[in-house]
Amino acid sequence: MEKQINGAQIVLQALRDNGVQHIFGYPGGAVLPIYDELFQQEDIEHILVRHEQGATHAAEGYARSSGKCGVVLVTSGPGATNAVTGLTDALMDSIPMVCITGQVPTHLIGADAFQEADTVGITRACTKHNYLVKDVNDLARVMHEAFYVATTGRPGPVVVDIPKDVQFAMGDYLKPAAVKHKSYQPKVKGDMEAINAAVDLIANAKKPVFYTGGGVINSGPQASQLLREFVKLTGYPITSTLMGLGSYPSADKQWLGMLGMHGTYEANLAMHDCDVMINIGARFDDRITGALDKFSPDSKKIHIDIDPSSINKNVVVDVPIVGDVAHVLEDMLRVYKSRAVTPDKKALSSWWQEIDAWRDRNCLAYRKDDKAIKPQYAVERLYELTKGPDTFITTEVGQHQMWAAQYYRFEDPNRWMTSGGLGTMGYGIPAAVGVQVANPKGLVIDIAGEASAMMTMQELSTAVQHRLPIKIFILNNEYMGMVRQWQELLHGGRYSNSYSEALPDFVKLAEAYGATGIRAEKPSELDDAIKRMVETDGPVIFDCIVTKEENCFPMIPSGAAHNDMLLADDQGLEVEVSDEGKALV
Amino acid sequence: MGLSPLAVLRYRVPVRGAGLDRFSMSEQATATHTISVLVDNEAGVLARVIGLFSGRGYNIDSLTVAEVDQAAQMSRITVVTSGTPQVIEQIKAQLGRLVPVHRVVDLTVECESVERELALVKVSGKGEARVEALRLSEAFRARVVDATPESFVFEITGNGEKIDAFIELMTPLGLQEASRTGAAALARGPEPM
Ligand SMILES: Cc1ncc(C[n+]2csc(CCOP(=O)(O)OP(=O)(O)O)c2C)c(N)n1
Ligand SMILES: [Mg+2]
């Protein structure tokens, strides 16, 4: 029998055995034994953040850009509660994460001890699973299980809450191979009968559309490859959700752009009018469907999802396929090829004609301005001057996020990190930190809003400390622009509390952090300023002063249907939204 | 997690008229279902199940939990819930997603099943009412498990409606209080679920 080690050593050994190289964390009384072990080893690098929320988003950025599991280490009580936002974010966006929280010693649990919080109680609803480890001899098994649960099936965050006495207690270590779960066995292969039924529908479609999502990215690079092959083979149009951007190259002519509330005219109309919808790894989210009773009324729907509970949750589908995207696509491609299908050329060409007419509407056009920088123009220029396979974009939440999704273009998966499901302002800076840790050579840019950036600005200090040259590109419109836009369109232009009052001087702020500050105020100076940002070795805050009252279009107002979009020319119109629609978010 | 039988069937169903297969909960009837869930008997598992129901706004009409296999440390949770077929399908899928859940069976649609509840019913009174209460308890095959000169505690088992009826009859006869379990249920026939 192996020699016994203490709980903290078990944690470290389990991290090593699960291939962990980086963890994001913040110390405190209840995790000191683990920090002590961290201090005495060199295999695992600890990135010290400035707020535990930052650790969770950094872990998300790390995971999404590398395909690995993100790991977080925080103390009990406030450390754990500060992590809740990032855990929820990871749950909503299906990001694999293991979050280790310290807990008060077992004999004090329930005593309202100093820095005690019911962490498993609080995080039960915002994790895929969580554990409180009361016996050191369960610790190794639980740690391995945590990684297994977080990274398999539909990925998600897992919390392991470890009382301090358990970290000190001596126990046996168990290798990961010895762990097999009794009840949790996610299914990756799709049902062949369903796959055949799907191929029938796909082969006979007259107005098909691929509707793809974050599941393609989660399934791994191979899923994107298979998707590309399948889309090419069929010649069908493809759109993607916010979370799926990059799984299909945006330069390709079959690409319709993003769909949904701020998606393109052509993507949304194709969804509305299609006869066969092929949903791959997306979940019929309300940002995508708009009014459910008007959603794509005449289509047969195929839905590939690894999570059985996503099937028929919001939209009833005709052919559900539960399985991992890459596995299912592989089978589907094989069946499709073996049938020697010839798509209906005539139908398809008239479908493409319809789509091209929608494309001609040029829904992303905006009025240029040679005195002030338009936010759309700023993203377009940023794209032109920074594009490349080693560029990674994170965002905050708001108009800038949508402009980033619309005007930055992605050719590969894992290059685009954004908070989709939860919509967490403050995601982008720490996520950029995590992305840069995973991709030390990459150019990592957070396309930010000035209000969002203020939420987790302190992580710039993390970037400076760890020499992570992230670029925070702020589209500074001096407004919580997305809130202002809704107030303009739905609340009579009463801008209640949405002006970004008392902003700091972002250039000086950068300097105060020991980073570089750059400002651009005129279109004529934008390109040079962006180039300077790219050439700067360390972290940068780029304060891009943009027009203040620009609205983000196209837009499907809440409660409206896909064919009921507002386009840029509608700017200045009073929008009519039903009371029901107003109640939606 | 396998494809649920309901889901497997769906794509064979003939296509309804265009626009009709939209999801609309209000168009569908709500029904009561008894769902049996086999879980690892570990800390917090009940909180997970209850949290799932409250967090997603599903109904719990009754809930019964106890360890049923000591060696394997497994418990059976029997939930009586109500909802449209889509909601019930969601409840099953969401339960199946919980890590400690081994198996979820909708005993109302997937098989024939037997279902029992137990109640203890305290009735106080003298004279005619007391005699009548005892007489009715015999008709319902209830047992007297406690008695004083002016009270009885009856034990009654059966399905929910039978117990409802018994309690209703006891009300004018001096009903004091009742304690009821939720439903315990099993599939009929020789096989485990
Ligand atoms: C943590 C959090 N709080 C509040 C909101 C609601 N919200 C959505 S967008 C937005 C404004 C964002 O402003 P800014 O970062 O300046 O971006 P802009 O829309 O101006 O581009 C707010 C307050 C949110 N998404 N997240
Ligand atoms: Mg702003």
Side-chain angles (χ1 to χ4, degrees):
Chain A
M1 190 171 170
E2 278 189 51
K3 150 169 140 330
Q4 289 207 321
I5 54 178
N6 74 29
Q9 289 165 332
I10 289 175
V11 169
L12 267 282
Q13 192 54 45
L15 292 175
R16 271 191 286 270
D17 286 347
N18 285 284
V20 176
Q21 291 166 301
H22 299 99
I23 67 180
F24 301 89
Y26 206 93
V31 278
L32 285 179
I34 298 174
Y35 271 87
D36 200 28
E37 288 306 323
L38 271 173
F39 189 80
Q40 301 177 50
Q41 57 85 50
E42 281 179 353
D43 306 336
I44 297 171
E45 191 187 342
H46 177 270
I47 289 90
L48 176 67
V49 295
R50 297 299 181 268
H51 184 292
E52 289 86 351
Q53 182 188 351
T56 53
H57 295 322
E60 287 185 274
Y62 182 90
R64 194 136 183 102
S65 65
S66 69
K68 294 184 211 156
C69 187
V71 183
V72 173
L73 172 60
V74 298
T75 193
S76 66
T81 56
N82 274 349
V84 164
T85 301
L87 291 169
T88 314
D89 197 273
L91 183 71
M92 292 289 271
D93 285 346
S94 310
I95 311 289
M97 184 195 296
V98 170
C99 175
I100 299 163
T101 56
Q103 182 54 278
V104 300
T106 38
H107 69 277
L108 288 181
I109 289 178
D112 294 330
F114 178 62
Q115 295 197 325
E116 179 182 1
D118 175 8
T119 301
V120 285
I122 290 169
T123 62
R124 198 172 284 129
C126 64
T127 51
K128 181 172 175 185
H129 195 49
N130 63 14
Y131 303 86
L132 169 63
V133 185
K134 287 184 168 172
D135 180 344
V136 68
N137 291 310
D138 292 334
L139 186 54
R141 176 186 58 80
V142 168
M143 285 293 297
H144 303 322
E145 227 180 84
F147 278 92
Y148 177 62
V149 171
T151 55
T152 53
R154 179 175 179 176
V158 176
V159 161
V160 183
D161 197 28
I162 313 176
K164 194 171 180 181
D165 56 329
V166 174
Q167 298 171 33
F168 279 124
M170 302 298 282
D172 294 326
Y173 184 74
L174 187 84
K175 286 266 171 206
V179 173
K180 191 165 177 286
H181 204 278
K182 285 185 287 180
S183 54
Y184 173 78
Q185 277 139 11
K187 179 176 173 262
V188 292
K189 290 283 278 180
D191 179 87
M192 281 315 293
E193 211 179 325
I195 289 173
N196 272 291
V199 171
D200 280 343
L201 278 179
I202 295 170
N204 295 311
K206 307 218 176 312
K207 301 164 92 181
V209 66
F210 282 97
Y211 150 45
T212 61
V216 182
I217 311 258
N218 275 335
S219 175
Q222 214 216 330
S224 291
Q225 279 314 317
L226 291 162
L227 175 70
R228 289 163 192 223
E229 191 185 335
F230 197 26
V231 173
K232 282 281 132 206
L233 200 61
T234 56
Y236 295 172
I238 173 170
T239 177
S240 155
T241 66
L242 181 73
M243 295 308 293
L245 295 179
S247 53
Y248 193 83
S250 63
D252 189 83
K253 62 180 192 319
Q254 282 166 254
W255 170 248
L256 305 183
M258 179 176 80
L259 82 162
M261 184 175 269
H262 294 288
T264 66
Y265 191 61
E266 51 271 34
N268 284 329
L269 286 189
M271 288 286 284
H272 188 268
D273 283 9
C274 67
D275 72 338
V276 173
M277 180 185 294
I278 310 147
N279 173 344
I280 307 181
R283 60 185 174 91
F284 295 108
D285 175 81
D286 55 68
R287 298 295 93 164
I288 296 308
T289 60
L292 274 178
D293 57 349
K294 299 179 199 120
F295 175 68
S296 194
D298 302 325
S299 61
K300 289 287 196 1
K301 299 175 183 75
I302 297 162
H303 186 184
I304 304 172
D305 201 303
I306 197 157
D307 179 357
S309 77
S310 287
I311 307 276
N312 295 338
K313 182 170 63 184
N314 302 330
V315 171
V316 174
V317 298
D318 301 274
V319 182
I321 303 171
V322 175
D324 168 61
V325 169
H327 284 82
V328 173
L329 279 183
E330 199 179 349
D331 286 338
M332 203 177 256
L333 258 166
R334 202 184 48 249
V335 172
Y336 188 90
K337 285 179 184 161
S338 75
R339 297 233 203 129
V341 176
T342 39
D344 182 339
K345 283 230 174 63
K346 216 171 127 227
L348 210 54
S349 99
S350 75
W351 177 227
W352 272 112
Q353 268 169 26
E354 267 186 82
I355 291 173
D356 285 338
W358 296 326
R359 268 182 173 161
D360 288 343
R361 183 66 187 70
N362 203 3
C363 69
L364 293 179
Y366 58 92
R367 269 181 221 118
K368 298 259 160 43
D369 189 326
D370 49 10
K371 291 195 190 62
I373 303 174
K374 289 269 188 165
Q376 301 93 324
Y377 178 72
V379 178
E380 273 182 348
R381 294 314 303 159
L382 182 71
Y383 168 65
E384 287 303 334
L385 296 168
T386 62
K387 65 183 171 194
D390 296 323
T391 304
F392 298 80
I393 301 293
T394 72
T395 76
E396 308 291 339
V397 171
Q399 292 179 316
H400 63 276
Q401 176 189 30
M402 295 299 117
W403 285 318
Q406 292 170 336
Y407 296 95
Y408 210 99
R409 319 198 120 245
F410 299 91
E411 306 306 312
D412 294 302
N414 307 100
R415 304 296 193 278
W416 163 250
M417 276 49 63
T418 193
S419 170
L422 196 62
T424 311
M425 291 170 68
Y427 168 89
I429 297 177
V433 164
V435 174
Q436 190 81 74
V437 169
N439 304 274
K441 299 233 158 61
L443 172 59
V444 184
I445 306 170
D446 171 28
I447 299 181
E450 81 296 335
S452 296
M454 295 287 286
M455 284 209 173
T456 50
M457 182 53 83
Q458 67 278 7
E459 301 307 335
L460 180 54
S461 173
T462 307
V464 170
Q465 178 191 339
H466 294 276
R467 300 183 190 285
L468 302 166
I470 61 167
K471 317 298 179 206
I472 304 167
F473 188 84
I474 300 178
L475 295 179
N476 186 349
N477 53 9
E478 287 181 29
Y479 273 107
M480 298 172 198
M482 192 56 95
V483 172
R484 193 205 54 72
Q485 175 168 348
W486 281 53
Q487 289 172 333
E488 178 185 332
L489 299 178
L490 305 171
H491 294 275
R494 291 178 294 279
Y495 295 159
S496 178
N497 292 280
S498 54
Y499 183 66
S500 288
E501 198 78 55
L503 280 177
D505 177 330
F506 283 111
V507 172
K508 284 191 186 151
L509 186 64
E511 285 160 5
Y513 273 109
T516 305
I518 297 174
R519 179 172 295 122
E521 292 174 274
K522 292 197 293 275
S524 56
E525 61 192 30
L526 185 60
D527 279 21
D528 280 348
I530 291 174
K531 284 181 200 150
R532 247 188 304 140
M533 174 185 86
V534 175
E535 282 154 16
T536 305
D537 270 343
V540 174
I541 299 183
F542 191 112
D543 189 16
C544 188
I545 310 295
V546 297
T547 48
K548 299 193 195 324
E549 301 199 352
E550 196 70 21
N551 282 336
C552 182
F553 289 119
M555 176 179 184
I556 302 176
S558 295
H562 274 170
N563 54 354
D564 213 357
M565 297 187 88
L566 300 177
L567 294 164
D569 293 347
D570 300 336
Q571 186 134 10
L573 287 184
E574 266 290 319
V575 179
E576 273 199 49
V577 173
S578 64
D579 287 347
E580 250 173 78
K582 272 191 195 164
L584 299 171
V585 290
Chain B
M1 263 319 291
L3 201 58
S4 74
L6 206 65
V8 179
L9 278 178
R10 176 150 285 116
Y11 64 86
R12 298 206 197 94
V13 171
V15 190
R16 287 168 286 166
L20 272 183
D21 32 4
R22 286 179 219 136
F23 184 44
S24 171
M25 299 225 256
S26 54
E27 285 166 22
Q28 294 184 322
T30 294
T32 299
H33 291 246
T34 302
I35 296 178
S36 189
V37 193
L38 273 180
V39 299
D40 281 328
N41 184 17
E42 61 180 37
V45 64
L46 183 57
R48 278 180 219 288
V49 170
I50 293 174
L52 171 71
F53 276 75
S54 66
R56 293 188 183 265
Y58 307 140
N59 301 316
I60 298 183
D61 296 342
S62 82
L63 183 90
T64 310
V65 198
E67 190 166 70
V68 289
D69 183 341
Q70 242 181 349
Q73 297 202 322
M74 301 249 282
S75 291
R76 185 187 300 274
I77 299 178
T78 309
V79 197
V80 180
T81 183
S82 54
T84 62
Q86 260 84 24
V87 168
I88 299 295
E89 193 192 340
Q90 261 299 299
I91 291 174
K92 277 191 59 187
Q94 293 289 354
L95 284 168
R97 214 154 82 110
L98 297 177
V99 169
V101 167
H102 286 254
R103 215 158 134 53
V104 184
V105 174
D106 182 345
L107 292 175
T108 307
V109 299
E110 289 173 50
C111 53
E112 299 264 323
S113 62
V114 282
E115 196 169 313
R116 288 292 179 272
E117 286 180 37
L118 181 145
L120 298 173
V121 181
K122 182 180 287 181
V123 180
S124 303
K126 289 184 170 172
E128 261 312 295
R130 180 175 164 83
V131 175
E132 178 66 359
L134 192 63
R135 202 184 61 74
L136 282 169
S137 77
E138 279 158 13
F140 274 76
R141 294 174 200 267
R143 292 200 309 143
V144 176
V145 289
D146 178 69
T148 71
E150 56 212 84
S151 71
F152 290 116
V153 173
F154 298 112
E155 173 201 301
I156 177 170
T157 57
N159 63 25
E161 282 129 60
K162 175 181 166 187
I163 293 172
D164 288 345
F166 183 69
I167 290 175
E168 204 180 306
L169 283 173
M170 290 298 127
T171 307
L173 301 177
L175 175 78
Q176 299 300 313
E177 57 183 351
S179 174
R180 293 175 71 157
T181 66
L186 280 184
R188 289 183 185 274
E191 306 295 334
M193 79 178 207

